[in-house]
Amino acid sequence: MKDRIVLAYSGGLDTSVAIGWIADATGAEVIAVAVDVGQGGESLETVRQRALGCGAVEAYVADARDEFANEYCVPTLKANGLYQGHYPLVSAISRPVIVKHLVKAAREFGATTVAHGCTGKGNDQVRFEVGIQTLGPDLKCIAPVRDLALTRDKAIAYAEEKHLPIVTTKKNPYSIDQNVWGRAVETGYLEDIWNAPTKDIYDYTQSPEFPPAPDEVTITFKQGVPTALDGVELTPLQVIQELNRRAGAQGVGRIDVVEDRLVGIKSREIYEAPGAMALITAHKHLEDVTIEREHARFKATVGQRWSELVYDGQWFSPLKRALDGFIEDSQQYVSGDIRMTLHGGQAIVNGRRSDTSLYDFSLATYDTGDTFDQSSAKGFIDIWGMASKVASGRDQRVAGE
Ligand code: ARG
């Protein structure tokens, strides 16, 4: 029997050509696997038929949209996951769910090897291969673009020569990756980091310069999970989709950063993540009223470390799993409503209510009804400042000697 290789298939030129390219180079049969993580565009059936038309012996398509929303986007929201404080981990969280389906397909179809279309310069190759090694330690990995020298020009020539059912138009100057959590655009004109992004780069967001009338939305959370918008119960996937639409119309969630890739390169990235950024803002504000101070401070550092691990391809690692345990536990009381206004590129919280709030009006108020005993403050401050005061006395004594 021929060896079998499972290929992560997007339906685009590179991975369509990779089907025949891999078969020619290895003599193996290729099984194309396409995973829907809410990237939009063509139907999965169209993508499936194209894979078969390009020579795949089998084509497996998975609708992973709810799985991706529930098991990848929601944990990122609970962590307030932003790599380097900016990037909501759009591509980083989609690779592990794709890996799960690749490994599952490899088992079903008796494949020995998994292939992906990444280059050798990015993070995604690491995320795919570390994930595959972890979930399928016996599986081998190949990357035709990186390891079998499949360049864009060769891909176009190959597609034309073999009459593959794919349009081989002039290269889009940008490398784009998108899913329901957001969209990433890089390369081309953006590689000059002084160049401002042009309008054509954006797809999930409208320009915030001429926004429609302000849009006020109430987001309901139960233990950190978004469960309703304006009182209408929705699944996490539906909440993200609806906020992509509403926050996107207001230009919320445009991000322009130079970020540190795992492979040591600094790279310029444009992201748009209207739903993700509106949700993270709302969620953080709900945590502000429901999580105790020291717990919240520590959680912020956990969330940062969690984001670095996820960015760096360690989704399935023991440390990431242990931090998930901490984050999950922290969400016990993160329930309630956040009201926010979406307008002109911003998502601004203007109201919060929660049955599990720690906000105590009678402690906070400066009006009548104050229950805070101000006379305790003086002694507290004397003791709180004691250590610094003793050290400063020592500094002055030594300086005077
Ligand atoms: N730099 C981002 C990341 O590493 C986005 C990568 C987008 N991938 C792509 N093939 N365009 O997560």
Side-chain angles (χ1 to χ4, degrees):
M1 199 178 108
K2 275 192 171 183
D3 204 13
R4 297 187 131 192
I5 295 180
V6 157
L7 167 69
Y9 183 64
S10 72
L13 173 67
D14 288 349
T15 53
S16 293
V17 167
I19 295 171
W21 197 266
I22 291 171
D24 295 349
T26 63
E29 290 179 339
V30 176
I31 292 128
V33 174
V35 184
D36 187 352
V37 284
Q39 61 269 45
E42 299 176 311
S43 81
L44 287 191
E45 188 47 32
T46 308
V47 169
R48 209 180 85 83
Q49 289 303 332
R50 182 171 312 130
L52 295 171
C54 290
V57 295
E58 303 266 10
Y60 164 104
V61 294
D63 178 354
R65 289 176 301 167
D66 281 300
E67 178 186 8
F68 179 59
N70 296 333
E71 296 171 33
Y72 298 81
C73 303
V74 168
T76 304
L77 176 59
K78 288 177 177 172
N80 299 318
L82 293 172
Y83 178 65
Q84 293 187 312
H86 297 294
Y87 165 44
L89 298 165
V90 173
S91 304
I93 59 172
S94 78
R95 292 335 184 227
V97 69
I98 296 170
V99 163
K100 268 201 176 165
H101 286 274
L102 291 172
V103 172
K104 188 167 158 231
R107 300 290 178 235
E108 261 168 44
F109 294 103
T112 59
T113 304
V114 174
H116 61 76
C118 302
T119 70
K121 289 178 75 165
N123 299 311
D124 290 328
Q125 54 171 344
V126 182
R127 296 169 184 149
F128 272 125
E129 294 183 31
V130 170
I132 290 159
Q133 279 169 21
T134 312
L135 300 188
D138 52 307
L139 295 169
K140 292 189 291 274
C141 285
I142 57 168
V145 175
R146 183 192 68 193
D147 306 336
L148 303 175
L150 176 60
T151 63
R152 186 89 191 177
D153 291 341
K154 285 187 196 166
I156 292 174
Y158 187 95
E160 281 168 1
E161 181 201 325
K162 305 268 171 171
H163 306 290
L164 296 185
I166 173 132
V167 266
T168 57
T169 47
K170 197 161 66 50
K171 184 181 178 348
N172 178 326
Y174 306 114
S175 166
I176 297 169
D177 184 48
Q178 63 189 52
N179 59 54
V180 74
W181 199 236
R183 186 165 174 272
V185 186
E186 52 190 300
T187 71
Y189 165 84
L190 298 168
E191 283 170 359
D192 179 337
I193 62 177
W194 184 247
N195 283 345
T198 47
K199 287 190 175 51
D200 62 307
I201 282 174
Y202 297 107
D203 183 39
Y204 284 17
T205 54
Q206 299 299 312
S207 168
E209 276 168 46
F210 307 102
D215 182 7
E216 195 172 79
V217 61
T218 300
I219 308 175
T220 303
F221 290 89
K222 289 209 173 75
Q223 301 196 315
V225 182
T227 57
L229 290 182
D230 297 325
V232 178
E233 281 193 30
L234 298 171
T235 63
L237 176 67
Q238 291 169 327
V239 169
I240 301 164
Q241 287 171 329
E242 182 66 4
L243 283 175
N244 275 341
R245 199 179 59 70
R246 288 172 66 174
Q250 296 283 348
V252 170
R254 288 188 173 184
I255 301 156
D256 178 342
V257 284
V258 172
E259 85 190 15
D260 284 302
R261 282 193 192 165
L262 178 56
V263 295
I265 300 171
K266 284 194 188 287
S267 71
R268 202 298 181 69
E269 311 277 343
I270 305 294
Y271 301 110
E272 2 175 38
M277 293 310 287
L279 280 167
I280 290 172
T281 304
H283 177 258
K284 172 73 176 64
H285 280 254
L286 186 58
E287 288 192 340
D288 290 344
V289 292
T290 54
I291 300 189
E292 180 272 335
R293 179 188 59 190
E294 294 305 316
H295 195 183
R297 289 179 178 177
F298 194 73
K299 180 177 179 286
T301 68
V302 169
Q304 191 183 335
R305 191 74 190 92
W306 186 95
S307 300
E308 288 163 359
L309 288 167
V310 169
Y311 185 88
D312 290 346
Q314 299 289 334
W315 182 272
F316 299 107
S317 75
L319 178 56
K320 146 76 173 48
R321 199 179 327 138
L323 298 187
D324 277 334
F326 175 90
I327 292 166
E328 190 54 42
D329 180 76
S330 75
Q331 300 299 293
Q332 186 181 357
Y333 296 116
V334 185
S335 301
D337 296 331
I338 290 291
R339 191 182 58 226
M340 70 190 335
T341 300
L342 309 168
H343 190 58
Q346 291 194 288
I348 300 199
V349 171
N350 61 21
R352 60 289 274 163
R353 66 182 170 205
S354 167
D355 293 337
T356 43
S357 165
L358 294 172
Y359 179 82
D360 185 336
F361 178 84
S362 59
L363 285 176
T365 186
Y366 283 92
D367 296 339
T368 41
D370 183 4
T371 60
F372 186 87
D373 178 5
Q374 298 199 28
S375 69
S376 315
K378 191 173 167 6
F380 166 73
I381 295 164
D382 284 344
I383 292 172
W384 182 245
M386 185 74 78
S388 280
K389 186 173 156 188
V390 170
S392 151
R394 185 268 320 271
D395 294 350
Q396 287 175 18
R397 192 185 73 238
V398 172
E401 274 171 7

